Amino acid sequence: MFGYRVPAPDEAMLISGGRRGLGGAPFRVVTGHGKFVLPIFRKTRFLTLSMCESEVTETCVTRQGIALHVRAVIAFKVGNDHESIINAGQRFLSDQDQMSVLTGRIFAGHLRAIIGSMTVEEIVTERQKLAAEVLDTSKTEMAKIGLIVDSLQIQSIDDGDTGYIDAMSAPHKAAIQRQAQIAQAQATQAAAEAEQAAARKQAEYARQTAIVKAEYSAEVNRAEAQAAQAGPLAQAHAQQEVLAAQTELAQRQAKLRQQQLVAEIVKPAEAEAERIRVLAAADAQRMKIQAEAAASYDRVALDRMLIDQLPQIVKEAAGGLAGANVNVLNGADGLGEIAAGLVSQGLTILDSVRQNLNGQDSSDGRRPEQSSGNGLLELHPAKEKKADDGPVNLDQSEPSK
C-alpha cells in the first residue's frame, strides 16, 4: 500500500521527520510491525539487527614479556531495545560496516590489556577465563554504542619463533606420547590377545569338530564291523551252543557209564568182598567157638581127672605121715582135724594145678602134660621128720604143762 512500510524481522525501521521519538530521539523506531509513512514529509531508513562477526588478530605481550599472536572471533549485534537501536542508529546507520571494524578494535585493546596481566601458561590453559574477562571489560563500551556481544572465541595463540609454548608443552607431549604409546601397546596387546583368543576358539572348535567327526567315524566303523561280524558271531555262537550241548551229552554219557561200571563191577565186587568178609568172620567165629569149646572140654576133662585122682592124692599124702611120730592130744577130734587138714591140702593142691594149667593154656595154647604111668600127677611131699625130732603136735592149742 502506498505509504505503508514494514521492516524485516531482523531490521529496525527508523522514521525521521515529524515529531521526535522516545526520549528526545531524532527518529522513531519501529520493529515487528508496519507503519504509514508520508513519502514527502517522512524519511524511512532501516538498521540491521542480525548477527555480525568481527575477527581480531593481535600481537600481545604477556606478563612474562613473551609476544603472542592471538586470533579471536567476536559475534555481536545491535541490541533489541530501543535505546540500543537508537545508539547504534546514530553511530552506524549511514555506514553499518563500521560496526565490525570498531568492535574489532575495541576487543583488540581489551585483549592486549588482559593478556599483559597473564602468563603464557594461564593464557594457554585458561582460554575461557581470558574470553570471559575480555567480555566483561568490553561490555560497558559495547553497550554505549548499542552493541551486545553474544560470544568471544580465542581461535589461536602462537608464540612465533620463541618456542616457549612448544617447550612448555614438551612434557605434556612426552606424557601424551607415552600414554599414546602405552595405549597403542595396550591396544596391540588387546588385539593380539583377541587374535589369540580367536585362534584358540577356532582351534577348540576345530578340535571339537575333529573329535565329533572321529566319534561319528568310530561309530560308523563299529557299526560296519558289527554288521560284518554278525554272521561269523552268530555261527560261532551256534557252534558254541552245539559244543556245549555235546559236552553236556558227553558228561551225561560218562556219568551213565560210571553208574553202569559201578553197577556192573564195583557193586558186585563190594558184594563179593562183603560176602568173603562175612564168611571169614563166620569161620573165625566158628573156629573161636570150637577153640573155646575144646578148651572148655579139656578143662572139664582135667577137672574130672583131678577129681578122680583126689582120693589117691590124699592117700599119698596120708602115706607120708605113716612113719611120722604123731601125738594126738584131742582124741577123736584130733584125728578128725588131721583128716580134714589132709583133705584141705589136697583141694589146695588141686586149685594150684588148675591155675597153672589155665596159665599154660593162655600162654602157649597147649594142653598140660599128664604124668606117665598110671596118669597121676607127680607130688612132692615134705621130707619126713626124723624120729628123734620129737612128736608132731597137730593141735594148734597151747600144750598142757
Side-chain angles (χ1 to χ4, degrees):
M1 179 180 293
F2 181 76
Y4 191 80
R5 306 294 298 274
V6 179
D10 58 349
E11 288 181 342
M13 186 172 62
L14 305 179
I15 302 173
S16 60
R19 58 184 183 149
R20 292 181 176 271
L22 294 176
F27 48 82
R28 289 179 293 174
V29 178
V30 179
T31 57
H33 59 86
K35 195 173 184 62
F36 285 101
V37 178
L38 294 176
I40 298 174
F41 301 99
R42 303 286 187 273
K43 188 174 180 179
T44 303
R45 303 285 296 274
F46 294 93
L47 179 65
T48 181
L49 301 179
S50 62
M51 181 66 65
C52 297
E53 179 181 317
S54 178
E55 183 176 342
V56 177
T57 302
E58 190 70 19
T59 299
C60 305
V61 179
T62 65
R63 188 175 62 185
Q64 299 162 321
I66 299 172
L68 298 178
H69 301 286
V70 181
R71 181 175 177 271
V73 177
I74 304 104
F76 67 94
K77 64 182 290 296
V78 178
N80 293 328
D81 60 296
H82 283 201
E83 182 179 0
S84 297
I85 293 173
I86 291 172
N87 291 333
Q90 288 178 345
R91 291 173 177 81
F92 306 110
L93 185 57
S94 59
D95 190 4
Q96 296 185 21
D97 294 334
Q98 288 296 320
M99 288 189 295
S100 297
V101 176
L102 182 60
T103 301
R105 290 176 181 175
I106 293 171
F107 274 89
H110 287 292
L111 277 173
R112 285 195 299 270
I114 294 172
I115 288 175
S117 64
M118 298 176 66
T119 62
V120 178
E121 289 79 6
E122 293 175 348
I123 295 169
V124 172
T125 58
E126 299 178 1
R127 291 188 181 187
Q128 191 63 32
K129 178 181 178 181
L130 173 62
E133 289 184 2
V134 172
L135 286 176
D136 289 339
T137 55
S138 62
K139 184 181 296 183
T140 303
E141 295 182 5
M142 295 294 287
K144 289 181 180 180
I145 58 177
L147 302 177
I148 57 175
V149 179
D150 289 339
S151 67
L152 171 64
Q153 296 295 328
I154 306 297
Q155 292 187 340
S156 64
I157 298 174
D158 185 13
D159 60 351
D161 297 334
T162 58
Y164 186 88
I165 295 177
D166 292 337
M168 183 180 65
S169 63
H172 301 285
K173 287 181 179 180
I176 291 172
Q177 288 178 357
R178 183 172 62 255
Q179 292 177 358
Q181 291 176 356
I182 293 172
Q184 182 65 32
Q186 291 177 351
T188 303
Q189 182 178 359
E193 291 177 355
E195 290 178 358
Q196 292 176 359
R200 285 195 298 269
K201 289 181 179 180
Q202 291 178 357
E204 180 66 20
Y205 180 76
R207 186 181 68 84
Q208 292 178 356
T209 303
I211 291 173
V212 172
K213 288 182 178 179
E215 290 178 353
Y216 288 160
S217 179
E219 290 180 359
V220 171
N221 293 333
R222 283 196 297 270
E224 291 178 352
Q226 291 176 358
Q229 294 177 357
L233 286 176
Q235 185 177 2
H237 286 304
Q239 292 178 355
Q240 185 177 2
E241 292 178 357
V242 171
L243 290 175
Q246 292 177 354
T247 302
E248 185 177 359
L249 179 59
Q251 291 177 354
R252 290 182 179 179
Q253 291 177 351
K255 187 174 181 181
L256 180 59
R257 181 58 181 164
Q258 183 180 5
Q259 293 176 355
Q260 291 177 354
L261 291 175
V262 170
E264 293 176 357
I265 299 175
V266 177
K267 292 297 183 181
E270 291 179 353
E272 181 64 21
E274 182 65 21
R275 186 182 68 81
I276 294 172
R277 186 181 62 80
V278 170
L279 291 176
D283 191 16
Q285 186 69 22
R286 182 180 59 80
M287 294 177 66
K288 180 180 179 181
I289 292 171
Q290 290 177 355
E292 290 178 355
S296 177
Y297 176 78
D298 291 340
R299 285 194 299 272
V300 170
L302 181 60
D303 291 342
R304 185 176 295 276
M305 182 182 67
L306 290 175
I307 291 170
D308 293 338
Q309 295 294 329
L310 180 60
Q312 184 68 25
I313 294 171
V314 174
K315 182 180 179 181
E316 293 294 333
L321 297 176
N325 187 10
V326 179
N327 293 323
V328 178
L329 298 179
N330 294 331
D333 293 334
L335 292 174
E337 291 177 359
I338 293 171
L342 292 174
V343 173
S344 176
Q345 290 180 1
L347 293 176
T348 302
I349 293 169
L350 179 62
D351 291 334
S352 176
V353 171
R354 285 179 178 176
Q355 292 178 1
N356 290 330
L357 290 176
N358 290 331
Q360 291 178 359
D361 290 340
S362 63
S363 63
D364 55 5
R366 294 182 299 175
R367 296 174 60 185
E369 294 182 357
Q370 298 180 355
S371 59
S372 59
N374 54 6
L376 296 175
L377 296 173
E378 293 182 0
L379 298 175
H380 302 281
K383 292 176 92 176
E384 297 180 356
K385 294 180 64 71
K386 293 181 180 181
D388 53 356
D389 290 338
V392 178
N393 189 7
L394 299 176
D395 190 7
Q396 297 178 0
S397 61
E398 183 179 359
S400 59
K401 295 182 181 178

